[in-house]
Amino acid sequence: MDPAPHILVVDDHREIRDLLAKYLAKNGLRVDTAGSSAEARQALKAAAVDLVVLDIMMPGEDGLSLCRHLRETSDTPVILLTAMAEETDRIVGLEIGADDYVTKPFNPRELLARIKSVLRRASSLPRPRDQLEPATRRLGFDRWTLDVDRRELVGPDGVAVPLSTAEFRLLTTFLKRPRMVLSRDQLLDLTSGRAAEVYDRSIDNQVSRLRRKIEADPKAPAIIKTVWGGGYTLAADVRELP
């Protein structure tokens, strides 16, 4: 029997996180809690987590910063907890890769439903290639090098090419899954989560912009190829660099 999904609830209000932990555990989930981003980072190092429920407003490192870190270093789904007045933060959270959000005050049943929905979607997505470590900091493909920490793409001439946040997420998604055919819907889920259609331009436009930066001839792409009826694939081997 598969183990129950492991959820990490991160909120600086003890009453909220304790009540959530009890409710989610009662409904068959394994739950750990953290009262700060620092505690959450330790919990994430100590055990594999299937999904993080993350409050935005916390003292010290806020939830948006932790969400950004999670998206840059892993594919762990994130559901944000936001207050009604935090619409801008909610949008920013979705733009940096949160999978969903729930507005406080909320019904625990709604949060449970969102968790199950995100977990179902995450389980159906293609997993990264086993040979690539999630925390690899520099990746080489074709004649290019991507420094994950710096979000810096360097060409064969040694010149850095700037990437937008959306382009960086799209490129890292391809690099973690080389030579795998990814549909448009899968790419939206992997790069933008639930609200992709609201807050992101179409995947086709993002791919076109990325091709203009990395392809010798964007009209005849050799690195990111279109698979007719399927989506797109990174037609290059990816290697870890020191």
Side-chain angles (χ1 to χ4, degrees):
M1 181 181 297
D2 293 335
H6 188 189
I7 310 301
L8 177 63
V9 175
V10 187
D11 197 305
D12 62 312
H13 290 90
R14 166 171 274 182
E15 182 178 359
I16 291 176
R17 64 177 186 267
D18 287 351
L19 286 173
L20 272 180
K22 290 179 182 178
Y23 181 81
L24 297 177
K26 183 179 178 181
N27 282 275
L29 300 173
R30 292 182 295 144
V31 186
D32 281 332
T33 64
S36 67
S37 291
E39 290 181 12
R41 287 174 181 264
Q42 291 300 317
L44 290 163
K45 289 179 181 178
V49 171
D50 296 302
L51 183 145
V52 178
V53 177
L54 178 59
D55 185 34
I56 286 183
M57 295 297 292
M58 294 187 294
E61 182 184 12
D62 66 16
L64 291 178
S65 175
L66 181 57
C67 180
R68 184 178 293 107
H69 167 75
L70 286 169
R71 195 48 64 240
E72 291 175 354
T73 59
S74 75
D75 293 309
T76 306
V78 177
I79 295 179
L80 296 176
L81 299 180
T82 75
M84 289 290 286
E86 296 168 11
E87 182 177 1
T88 299
D89 286 343
R90 183 164 63 247
I91 293 171
V92 171
L94 293 168
E95 288 176 339
I96 64 177
D99 295 84
D100 204 345
Y101 67 87
V102 174
T103 302
K104 294 180 177 180
F106 56 86
N107 186 320
R109 289 182 61 187
E110 178 189 1
L111 177 59
L112 178 63
R114 301 277 182 124
I115 289 173
K116 290 181 177 180
S117 176
V118 171
L119 288 174
R120 280 196 301 270
R121 189 168 69 235
S123 67
S124 70
L125 295 174
R127 304 305 300 168
R129 295 293 192 193
D130 292 339
Q131 68 266 27
L132 292 178
E133 294 294 331
T136 297
R137 310 324 303 163
R138 295 176 72 241
L139 297 172
F141 65 102
D142 195 69
R143 298 179 298 160
W144 296 89
T145 299
L146 179 68
D147 187 313
V148 177
D149 283 334
R150 297 181 179 179
R151 293 193 174 198
E152 186 176 77
L153 179 65
V154 179
D157 55 2
V159 176
V161 176
L163 294 174
S164 68
T165 298
E167 291 164 351
F168 173 78
R169 289 205 307 264
L170 182 61
L171 180 57
T172 53
T173 295
F174 278 123
L175 293 181
K176 291 179 182 179
R177 300 164 180 81
R179 302 190 183 279
M180 295 176 64
V181 177
L182 301 172
S183 71
R184 290 170 176 82
D185 285 344
Q186 287 173 334
L187 287 169
L188 282 169
D189 278 334
L190 287 165
T191 59
S192 305
R194 169 180 175 268
E197 294 179 355
V198 178
Y199 295 109
D200 285 278
R201 295 185 177 91
S202 73
I203 283 294
D204 292 332
N205 288 340
Q206 291 184 37
V207 169
S208 294
R209 291 197 299 270
L210 190 55
R211 279 171 169 168
R212 287 197 291 269
K213 295 186 175 182
I214 67 174
E215 299 281 3
D217 181 1
K219 294 183 178 180
I223 300 175
I224 299 178
K225 292 188 174 182
T226 300
V227 179
W228 299 112
Y232 297 99
T233 186
L234 182 79
D237 293 325
V238 179
R239 57 198 181 277
E240 300 173 17
L241 301 175

